[in-house]
């Protein structure tokens, strides 16, 4: 299977995970968001970006994965294989939203991470059950523009994941961040309290060695503003990676 990836810049290896991708997609149709990150990172980092997962026909340059196979184990194995192909032995990982979920799973499966940045997702108290219900509803809605059934498989695969024990074992330098107003409502009275949950678990995370921060006045879309996000994260990365 082909997984399209690109590297930019020179320096410490950094894998930028979802929702940043190597090719244009509906979340960044002109690659303007990606360029904003690269412009602010490639002076010090060799940045790896990946078309992963394949979100639908004509989106990205990677081969599609059967929806039934996109488990957390498969995702982590694929990303480590891409890191190998890029010549990354040890590397920092930065993901946001689903990419933050993936970062946690990756950090619990490998000792190759030099640092972990988990954005838009609380490492403790995370709503995995809610995300399974949401993705099942979205997969049944024909108007959704990207493939969602694969994310149903992913969230099924992490139900029952021993979150507290797994997060406690993460040893690399680690950061969690979100916008202070990050809360999303979905049909069926499902509310994702991303910022509130991170705030409630902040002391516990900091006791475990996490660097935790909120970006004031911003919601889940804060990742589309690299001018705000990158300086916040680089303060951590430049010390850790």
């Amino acid at each position: 299977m082909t997984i399209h990836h690109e590297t930019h810049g020179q320096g410490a290896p950094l894998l930028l995970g979802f929702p940043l991708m190597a090719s244009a997609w509906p979340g960044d149709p002109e690659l303007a968001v990606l360029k904003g990150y690269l412009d602010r990172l490639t002076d010090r980092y060799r940045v790896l970006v990946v078309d992963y997962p394949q979100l639908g026909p004509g989106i990205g340059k990677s081969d599609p994965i059967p929806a039934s196979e996109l488990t957390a184990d498969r995702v982590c194995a694929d990303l480590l294989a891409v890191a190998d192909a890029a010549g990354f032995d040890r590397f920092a990982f930065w993901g946001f939203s689903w990419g933050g979920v993936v970062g946690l799973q990756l950090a619990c499966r490998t000792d190759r991470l030099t640092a972990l940045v988990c954005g838009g997702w609380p490492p403790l108290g995370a709503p995995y059950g809610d995300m399974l219900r949401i993705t099942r509803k979205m997969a049944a809605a024909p108007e959704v523009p990207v493939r969602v059934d694969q994310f149903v498989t992913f969230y099924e695969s992490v139900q029952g994941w021993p979150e507290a024990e797994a997060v406690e074992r993460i040893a690399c330098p680690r950061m969690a961040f979100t916008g202070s107003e990050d809360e999303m409502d979905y049909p069926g009275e499902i509310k994702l309290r991303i910022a509130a949950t991170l705030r409630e678990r902040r002391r516990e995370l900091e006791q475990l060695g996490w660097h935790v921060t909120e970006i004031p006045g911003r919601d889940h879309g804060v990742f589309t503003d690299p001018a705000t996000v990158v300086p916040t994260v680089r303060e951590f990365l430049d010390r850790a990676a």
Side-chain angles (χ1 to χ4, degrees), residues 14-51:
L14 169 62
L15 199 168
L16 284 182
F18 188 87
L20 298 173
M21 300 180 73
S23 301
W25 69 287
D28 191 10
E30 305 297 329
L31 288 179
V33 176
L34 176 62
K35 184 177 185 300
Y37 280 79
L38 296 178
D39 286 349
R40 293 170 173 84
L41 289 168
T42 51
D43 63 309
R44 180 164 177 171
Y45 296 93
R46 185 177 179 219
V47 179
L48 171 61
V49 284
V50 189
D51 286 350

Side-chain angles (χ1 to χ4, degrees), residues 123-125 163-165 167-168 174 197-210 212:
L124 291 176
E163 177 190 75
E165 294 88 345
V167 170
E168 186 174 1
R174 48 223 179 266
T197 301
L198 186 61
R199 199 172 298 132
E200 290 162 3
R201 306 301 289 266
R202 178 170 188 158
R203 182 176 179 183
E204 187 176 354
L205 285 164
E206 289 177 340
Q207 289 174 340
L208 290 173
W210 286 76
V212 181

Side-chain angles (χ1 to χ4, degrees), residues 39-45 94 175 229-240:
D39 286 349
R40 293 170 173 84
L41 289 168
T42 51
D43 63 309
R44 180 164 177 171
Y45 296 93
W94 174 355
M175 174 184 186
V229 172
V230 174
T232 299
V233 174
R234 270 202 66 160
E235 185 178 348
F236 162 79
L237 272 182
D238 289 353
R239 295 194 307 267

Side-chain angles (χ1 to χ4, degrees), residues 7 10 13-14 48 63 69 88 102 111 126 135 139 159 180 187 214:
T7 57
Q10 296 294 326
L14 169 62
L48 171 61
D63 293 337
E69 297 181 10
F88 282 17
V102 168
D111 60 1
T135 52
Q159 300 304 305
S180 66
E214 294 183 21

Side-chain angles (χ1 to χ4, degrees), residues 5-231:
H5 60 277
E6 299 174 0
T7 57
H8 302 264
Q10 296 294 326
L14 169 62
L15 199 168
L16 284 182
F18 188 87
L20 298 173
M21 300 180 73
S23 301
W25 69 287
D28 191 10
E30 305 297 329
L31 288 179
V33 176
L34 176 62
K35 184 177 185 300
Y37 280 79
L38 296 178
D39 286 349
R40 293 170 173 84
L41 289 168
T42 51
D43 63 309
R44 180 164 177 171
Y45 296 93
R46 185 177 179 219
V47 179
L48 171 61
V49 284
V50 189
D51 286 350
Y52 193 88
Q54 211 275 356
L55 295 172
I59 301 176
K61 301 174 184 176
S62 296
D63 293 337
I65 301 167
S68 62
E69 297 181 10
L70 198 82
T71 63
D73 284 341
R74 170 67 185 269
V75 170
C76 291
D78 283 346
L79 290 178
L80 289 174
V82 171
D84 289 341
F88 282 17
D89 179 18
R90 305 193 72 235
F91 57 95
F93 181 90
W94 174 355
F96 188 90
S97 194
W98 183 73
V101 181
V102 168
L104 290 168
Q105 297 296 316
L106 194 62
C108 293
R109 287 168 167 78
T110 183
D111 60 1
R112 292 172 61 179
L113 297 194
T114 59
L116 168 64
V117 178
C118 178
W121 188 259
L124 291 176
Y128 295 104
D130 286 340
M131 284 307 305
L132 179 57
R133 289 188 286 274
I134 289 166
T135 52
R136 282 174 172 167
K137 286 178 176 290
M138 293 176 68
E143 68 275 11
V144 175
V146 299
R147 296 178 64 213
V148 181
D149 50 349
Q150 59 189 338
F151 295 111
V152 174
T153 298
F154 179 88
Y155 283 109
E156 287 175 343
S157 77
V158 296
Q159 300 304 305
W161 179 60
E163 177 190 75
E165 294 88 345
V167 170
E168 186 174 1
R169 290 196 301 268
I170 298 174
C172 66
R174 48 223 179 266
M175 174 184 186
F177 78 93
T178 191
S180 66
E181 309 304 314
D182 194 338
E183 183 172 291
M184 292 172 285
D185 292 311
Y186 287 88
E189 300 182 354
I190 299 175
K191 185 186 295 287
L192 293 183
R193 301 171 60 252
I194 304 299
T197 301
L198 186 61
R199 199 172 298 132
E200 290 162 3
R201 306 301 289 266
R202 178 170 188 158
R203 182 176 179 183
E204 187 176 354
L205 285 164
E206 289 177 340
Q207 289 174 340
L208 290 173
W210 286 76
H211 175 74
V212 181
T213 192
E214 294 183 21
I215 299 176
R218 304 303 296 268
D219 60 16
H220 202 65
V222 69
F223 81 91
T224 64
D225 182 6
T228 296
V229 172
V230 174

